[in-house]
Amino acid sequence: KIHPHIDDEEKNAQRRFIDATLRGAIGANVVESVAAIGYLTANARLTVTLNGGTIMDNFYTQSPVVTAARSMFFKTDAVIFDPDPARGIARALATEWDDVRKRAQRQAACWVARMSLNVDNAVDENLAVIQRHLDLTRPDVSIAPVADPAAALKNAAAWWAALHPKNATNSSETSVGVVVENATRELHIRPPA
């Protein structure tokens, strides 16, 4: 399936890729579908993708998926990864899509939901998501309520220092004011110990 909302130039590039990699490798049994992706992933024997959002559609339907490009899931049991799509398809057809693989897909889908910003979340929920990312990548950074929002928002120099730590001052902690839709938080950056 080619995404229905991409422009004609990209659609044609994707069709050429499909012709070169799949039809050339496994013959004329490759068709382009216009059905909804949820229907396809739930009803197809397997799906093949590079590394895009359709991987998640497979996770939601717990169906076999071959990925031909690296993604954050390519080393998990949630997908079958192979840069050669034809070889990946052969592996997928020879692989039982068992409870271990389905559990890995459920875990990945839950992780993505927990770690993604969402317009349906309250501001505090999205700030908690940002904090979880900071905890993983920058344990020296935390988001805390701002005591004086007006003063925090004026601290543009500290914001610059937060984005560019090598240019930061030698202070023990830099505070940065952040306003997100009526919820004001202060970003604290502590130098590494």
Side-chain angles (χ1 to χ4, degrees):
K1 177 174 177 75
I2 295 176
H3 197 286
H5 302 296
I6 60 173
D7 63 32
D8 288 337
E9 183 180 339
E10 181 60 26
K11 252 183 210 168
N12 291 331
Q14 289 189 22
R15 285 185 178 120
R16 286 191 300 275
F17 175 80
I18 290 168
D19 284 339
T21 59
L22 294 178
R23 286 194 181 103
I26 61 174
N29 292 329
V30 178
V31 296
E32 180 183 335
S33 175
V34 294
I37 193 66
Y39 176 83
L40 290 174
T41 59
N43 293 287
R45 176 98 186 259
L46 62 90
T47 58
V48 180
T49 184
L50 289 177
N51 62 356
T54 55
I55 294 173
M56 292 303 300
D57 294 301
N58 286 91
F59 291 176
Y60 297 140
T61 58
Q62 296 187 348
S63 53
V65 57
V66 174
T67 62
R70 291 169 38 142
S71 73
M72 58 201 252
F73 306 109
F74 83 107
K75 290 184 178 181
T76 71
D77 288 331
V79 302
I80 292 178
F81 167 72
D82 198 312
D84 178 339
R87 189 175 57 215
I89 290 169
R91 284 180 46 214
L93 292 174
T95 301
E96 179 185 355
W97 209 255
D98 59 11
D99 288 337
V100 170
R101 289 189 174 277
K102 291 176 183 178
R103 182 175 48 252
Q105 289 180 318
R106 285 191 307 272
Q107 290 170 332
C110 288
W111 183 87
V112 167
R114 183 174 185 274
M115 296 300 286
S116 297
L117 299 175
N118 188 316
V119 296
D120 294 329
N121 284 355
V123 172
D124 284 342
E125 291 173 302
N126 278 330
L127 288 171
V129 168
I130 294 169
Q131 184 63 58
R132 286 193 290 272
H133 282 277
L134 291 172
D135 292 345
L136 288 172
T137 60
R138 292 282 309 268
D140 58 324
V141 178
S142 65
I143 301 174
V146 171
D148 182 358
L153 290 174
K154 290 179 184 175
N155 200 348
W159 177 248
W160 178 259
L163 292 176
H164 304 280
K166 66 183 177 189
N167 298 328
T169 63
N170 292 328
S171 67
S172 63
E173 187 172 281
T174 305
S175 295
V176 179
V178 181
V179 174
V180 182
E181 291 184 25
N182 301 325
T184 307
R185 295 289 180 267
E186 192 168 22
L187 188 62
H188 294 283
I189 302 186
R190 294 175 297 286

